Amino acid sequence: MNLRPSLLMLTAAAAGASVLANGVSAANPAPSAPETRLGASIKQDFAQRDQEAARRARALELREQAARAAEQRLQAGGGAPQRAAANSPPRDANEERFSELARIYQAMRPNRAAIVLEQLEMDVQVEVARRMRERSTGLILANMSPQRAAALTMAMARMPQPQAPFPSAGGQRAKP
């Protein structure tokens, strides 16, 4: 028997060893070159983008849960919110107007709101100021002239608190 390997056998053995070596090197990669600033910056940008996407996905998920819960409450209630609104007394149109004016004056800068508020009738000033947040009212009073601020404060102190029901359309409020 001839024990001399043929050239074909030697080539096949070399190819097999090469495949084995490539497989081992792919499984255990060699240490890579040090990371560059550009590479680190790109990785950081990707990480921030992924965190932002996760935050937005969580916010959307919470909104969807809230919408589903509200829908279930509406279906379970069978229109109860509509009935409750029908049973409540209608809001006075003046109260609605004064509340809207209060929101407008709160949104303005205090120095500008003070100039305009000083020009209004005292009853309107009082009703608007009563519906504003205390801080906004204080800032506006601080920007008013001392005489007008004192007059508004005195009028607010004399008039009944807003919890008292408004008089009927034809009635006048009694001043003490």
Side-chain angles (χ1 to χ4, degrees):
M1 212 181 243
N2 190 359
L3 291 176
R4 288 179 64 196
S6 70
L7 187 56
L8 184 60
M9 291 281 264
L10 286 174
T11 307
S18 174
V19 168
L20 182 62
N22 283 338
V24 168
S25 68
N28 298 323
S32 63
E35 192 173 285
T36 64
R37 280 188 276 164
L38 177 62
S41 175
I42 291 171
K43 281 185 180 178
Q44 184 180 12
D45 287 346
F46 279 143
Q48 287 176 347
R49 185 197 65 191
D50 292 344
Q51 287 175 350
E52 181 65 22
R55 187 190 62 76
R56 281 185 297 209
R58 178 68 179 145
L60 283 173
E61 181 182 323
L62 289 174
R63 280 190 224 142
E64 287 175 3
Q65 288 176 357
R68 283 192 297 263
E71 186 176 317
Q72 288 174 353
R73 281 193 306 267
L74 284 174
Q75 289 174 351
Q82 295 167 350
R83 278 185 254 130
N87 292 339
S88 66
R91 290 187 65 171
D92 188 0
N94 286 336
E95 182 179 343
E96 191 68 34
R97 280 189 228 130
F98 289 132
S99 296
E100 181 64 26
L101 286 172
R103 283 191 293 274
I104 290 170
Y105 281 107
Q106 286 179 140
M108 294 173 68
R109 290 192 174 139
N111 58 344
R112 303 231 176 191
I115 293 169
V116 177
L117 197 64
E118 283 182 332
Q119 305 304 314
L120 302 177
E121 293 178 11
M122 187 55 67
D123 290 344
V124 175
Q125 287 182 22
V126 169
E127 293 300 328
V128 169
R130 284 252 161 97
R131 286 166 177 78
M132 291 172 58
R133 291 185 300 263
E134 291 174 1
R135 175 146 174 81
S136 298
T137 304
L139 290 171
I140 291 172
L141 283 171
N143 282 286
M144 293 173 82
S145 68
Q147 296 83 13
R148 295 297 293 206
L152 176 57
T153 303
M154 290 302 294
M156 288 175 66
R158 270 183 276 193
M159 294 191 78
Q161 294 299 318
Q163 289 87 9
F166 284 100
S168 63
Q172 292 289 333
R173 228 180 252 209
K175 292 187 180 180

